[in-house]
Amino acid sequence: MLMFKRLFIFFVVFLILATAICYGQADDGIQKIRLNQVGFYPDGPKIAIVLSAKASSFSVQTTAGKVVFRGALKKSLQPDFAGNYTRIADFTSFRTPGKYVLNVPGINSSYPFEISESVHNQLANASLKAYYFMRASIPIEKKYAGKWARPKGHPDEMVLIHSSAATSQRPEGTLISSPGGWYDAGDYNKYIVNSGISVYTLLSLYEDFPEHMKTVKLNIPESGNGLPDLLNETLWNIRWMLTMQDDDGGVYHKLTNTEFDGMIMPDKATKPRYVVMKSTAATLDFAAVMAQSARIFRNFPTQLPGLADTCLRVAKKAFAWARANPRELYNRYTMNARFSPKITTGDYGDNNVGDEFIWAASELYVTTGNVQYTKDVNLIPNDKMPLPSWSQVRLLGYYSILRHSEQLRAHYPDFQKLQKQFFEFAEAMIAGTDSTAYKDVIQKKRSNFVWGSNSIAGNQGMALILAYKLSGNKKFLKYALSNLDYLLGRNGTGYCYVTSYGSKSPMHPHHRPSIADTVADPVPGLVVGGAQPEMQDHIRVPSTVPDEAYIDDDKAYATNEVAINWNAPLAYLVNAIEALQGQLQ
């Protein structure tokens, strides 16, 4: 009997080890095939990347194993950042809807994917619904949020005027009400600068695709009120932004605790909150967003009576304040040396606000048609076209002028110059993409892999979508889609970078509600920051190769935090692609 028990135990251990080895091999095989884990449009490009020097062929199979397409792998013209050549599987000509895997002999099969019309529809909605989950000052209810429901956090109805923001009319310690808005990132503070580019990007999605966005239903509390849900969600943050303007037109830089909260739920975070000094950057970002809001909301006078007029009035007032106070620059260290209590939360500081002036003046010009704004600020000081980020917003103004070209080109003498520079910028962005190891735009350059690299992929995609809309040249649309494929799995890590989508997505984002709730799955629809090798959080990543430098760890805020300004270009890109899917062929 003893011998039998020993043999039985040996057999069980053997089976466990054998299973583990088999699963390890299977997972290793899956990891060698990188593709969009959500799927492809029937008429769109379909590319997968195979990490094997020996593989020469591939097949597309149904999930039941039936081969439906065969193809030859082609060696990439250039190596990846690690120095290895990839093999490229192109099955664009296969158009039959269904659920499939890509199989490479000797390697195994890929994660499953789907070919269908509107294949990214659920993801597109989730990327916008993510903002509902980021709302402050409201309970997140089960009928809208399912298992991610939570109590109301941060009512922000009794916010203190910080000593750095004090005036004779609002002395230090004065209480103001500033509810609403979105939590900025993994933390619970609210920042005007980052709100600026985030709201602009979402409003631009509506400006570029109004008819499509009217069809998008998000199941949020305001749904069905006569406004598109995209506008309903952005209004939650816009109304908060309105509370952040002082009577003189200046705008408080942020609403914040003195220091970051621990990993607790929003309703448990009850430390005093402050509005902190008025800054030129925040005021100009506010002016730009309010000018853009005015031209959109004036189309909804019944649903939003008077709001467009209010937005334009406060935008003009903010711009005037910034012109009179051009060097009120936020710097935590100089501020904390002069004022108390010390504030150690996110800075969003900017030592050069020339781009903010360009953006605000552009938006006011587009909304009002008043050419004086083009004279007050030199909108095209040089031929540079830097990709937008929270600290570099110059192109946002250019985007607005270009998308409203029909009404502006006749009386803006520099329009042709601006248009020429923009197309040169777009052409340079895509040049050489097809020779790269992953055949996407972002992986052309190592320098793209900085903090928040996934937002670079999204912002490149947004620029290319606009280039397509302005030119009608489908190559721009194709390359925009390549960056969506990157975000959804065709990349150096094999992750689909959006929570709850794809077969391998982040489970541990640096996002306090996702960490502190009792739900295993993170809040859905959030794109994490993405690969970059600097490790500012001192969490070691598995590889320091730029596009491989990522870890799914909730302490790794340098690669795995979420942020509203990162989700916005994802939301723009995936919703735009959905709107344009019929034009891919």
Side-chain angles (χ1 to χ4, degrees), residues 31 80 183 204 221 316 328 385 417 475 481-482 530:
Q31 284 299 294
D80 62 17
Y183 296 128
S204 295
K316 291 178 177 179
E328 290 296 318
M385 287 290 212
K417 177 182 177 182
K475 69 180 180 181
L481 181 56
S482 80

Side-chain angles (χ1 to χ4, degrees), residues 235 238-239 242 289-301 303-316 367-368:
L235 271 170
I238 289 167
R239 293 190 187 280
L242 287 168
V289 166
M290 292 305 160
Q292 184 190 26
S293 299
R295 66 174 178 263
I296 293 174
F297 295 142
R298 66 190 176 196
N299 297 313
F300 299 93
Q303 297 91 338
L304 301 169
L307 181 60
D309 292 339
T310 296
C311 288
L312 185 55
R313 175 177 52 81
V314 299
K316 291 178 177 179
T367 299
T368 66

Side-chain angles (χ1 to χ4, degrees), residues 319 323 353-362 371-384 394 398 401 412-414 417-418 421:
F319 190 74
R323 295 272 289 166
V353 293
D355 54 303
E356 281 83 4
F357 272 108
I358 290 171
W359 180 28
S362 298
V371 295
Q372 185 60 46
Y373 289 108
T374 69
K375 298 174 181 177
D376 289 343
V377 175
N378 181 7
L379 299 187
I380 314 177
N382 52 48
D383 61 359
K384 293 181 180 179
R394 175 174 169 175
Y398 294 172
I401 292 173
Y412 180 47
D414 287 332
K417 177 182 177 182
L418 180 62
Q421 288 184 195

